[in-house]
Amino acid sequence: MRFALLGSGSKGNALVVEYAGTRVLIDCGFSAREIVRRLARLDLVPADIDAVVITHEHDDHWRGVSRFSRAHGVPVWLTPGTLAARRASELAAIELYSPHEPFAIGDIELFPYPVPHDAREPAQLVVGNGDKRLGVLADIGHATPHVREMIDGCDGLVLECNHDPQLLAAGPYPAYLKARVAGRLGHLSNAQAAELLAGIDASALQQLVVAHISESNNRPELAQAALAGALSCTADWVHVANQSEGLSWRTLVNR
């Protein structure tokens, strides 16, 4: 099983997971044209994508999904709450999933779980192939015991390190937005992400990726240092997915 990020941050998010004959796009937060361009960097075309799974309705996760789905005949999976929050009539096909129940798309298993975030019915995902598990965790204000349980023991982890509190406080955001970002329904700071990582079983972890990092309120080296400290590893072992380039293919291998 392998995965790549088309881009990650406040301006757009999309991640592709591939196993055997199945490829799933998780979120579609860029324009449809940009999604196609970024897929091409991974040697993929829209016809390679079997489904889009949307985690919640915010623009940086939803922006291109209607046009991409309609133009390329790709079905879209989303929670009932996300469907209620958006006009989804122009999607090629709609499939509903519960954030409490696993489901499968082709050869890929998906284990959704609810997260505290200021959306209608937000979910994050653990993606598996019956052997390896990739945890995807972003857009979460604080870690709950259930979140810890879901990502415990994963082989790969895409983890939000959105902001550094000091940079956020001194940064350009208005006060209300700073409060939202740092709130219990906002986004994880570097320290919160590191604390979460230190509290789970990371012994099987092969790939660790910093995601949803703020361009205004964080720096990659701060996020890397925080997560490396939690794992007692070198900072260069921690990958960073940025807004413009995302992150190229990473493979979870059998050991």
Side-chain angles (χ1 to χ4, degrees):
M1 185 167 70
R2 65 177 185 165
F3 68 97
L5 286 85
L6 277 63
S8 185
S10 60
K11 297 177 183 176
N13 296 272
L15 180 155
V16 62
V17 183
E18 174 186 280
Y19 175 66
T22 304
R23 297 179 188 88
V24 172
L25 185 66
I26 299 175
D27 289 324
C28 194
F30 301 95
S31 71
R33 179 178 295 180
E34 185 67 10
I35 288 288
V36 173
R37 189 184 75 82
R38 291 176 183 237
L39 284 173
R41 296 194 309 214
L42 302 173
D43 295 322
L44 296 176
V45 297
D48 293 323
I49 302 300
D50 295 287
V52 179
V53 179
I54 299 293
T55 60
H56 63 293
E57 72 272 14
H58 290 165
D59 278 349
D60 58 326
H61 297 262
W62 178 277
R63 184 172 293 111
V65 68
S66 294
R67 183 165 293 181
F68 181 83
S69 170
R70 188 173 65 251
H72 304 290
V74 181
V76 178
W77 292 73
L78 65 173
T79 66
T82 300
L83 178 62
R86 281 285 188 169
R87 294 180 60 185
S89 60
E90 294 184 346
L91 299 176
I94 295 172
E95 300 283 352
L96 295 179
Y97 72 89
S98 165
H100 307 282
E101 297 177 4
F103 61 100
I105 299 172
D107 300 295
I108 292 177
E109 302 170 316
L110 298 106
F111 302 86
Y113 56 98
V115 293
H117 190 54
D118 56 354
R120 186 72 170 266
E121 193 178 19
Q124 293 293 296
L125 300 157
V126 172
V127 186
N129 66 351
D131 181 36
K132 299 303 175 189
R133 297 167 66 243
L134 170 68
V136 180
L137 179 58
D139 293 80
I140 173 176
H142 67 279
T144 66
H146 184 54
V147 167
R148 292 185 177 90
E149 179 182 355
M150 288 299 297
I151 65 170
D152 193 65
C154 280
D155 302 278
L157 183 59
V158 177
L159 180 60
E160 174 174 69
C161 289
N162 177 258
H163 62 280
D164 172 85
Q166 287 71 40
L167 292 180
L168 177 64
Y173 285 8
Y176 80 89
L177 187 52
K178 291 179 180 180
R180 173 192 174 269
V181 168
R184 289 180 64 78
L185 297 179
H187 296 275
L188 291 184
S189 69
N190 297 336
Q192 287 174 306
E195 181 182 10
L196 171 59
L197 186 60
I200 63 172
D201 177 8
S203 60
L205 204 58
Q206 300 178 27
Q207 299 285 345
L208 177 61
V209 178
V210 170
H212 218 301
I213 187 168
S214 171
E215 294 180 301
S216 301
N217 305 309
N218 207 353
R219 296 200 299 270
E221 64 269 21
L222 296 178
Q224 287 176 296
L227 297 193
L231 291 182
S232 298
C233 67
T234 59
D236 61 1
W237 192 80
V238 181
H239 304 293
V240 177
N242 64 27
Q243 187 72 86
S244 60
E245 299 299 323
L247 188 70
S248 61
W249 288 112
R250 295 293 183 269
T251 301
L252 302 179
V253 300
N254 294 325
R255 291 177 170 174

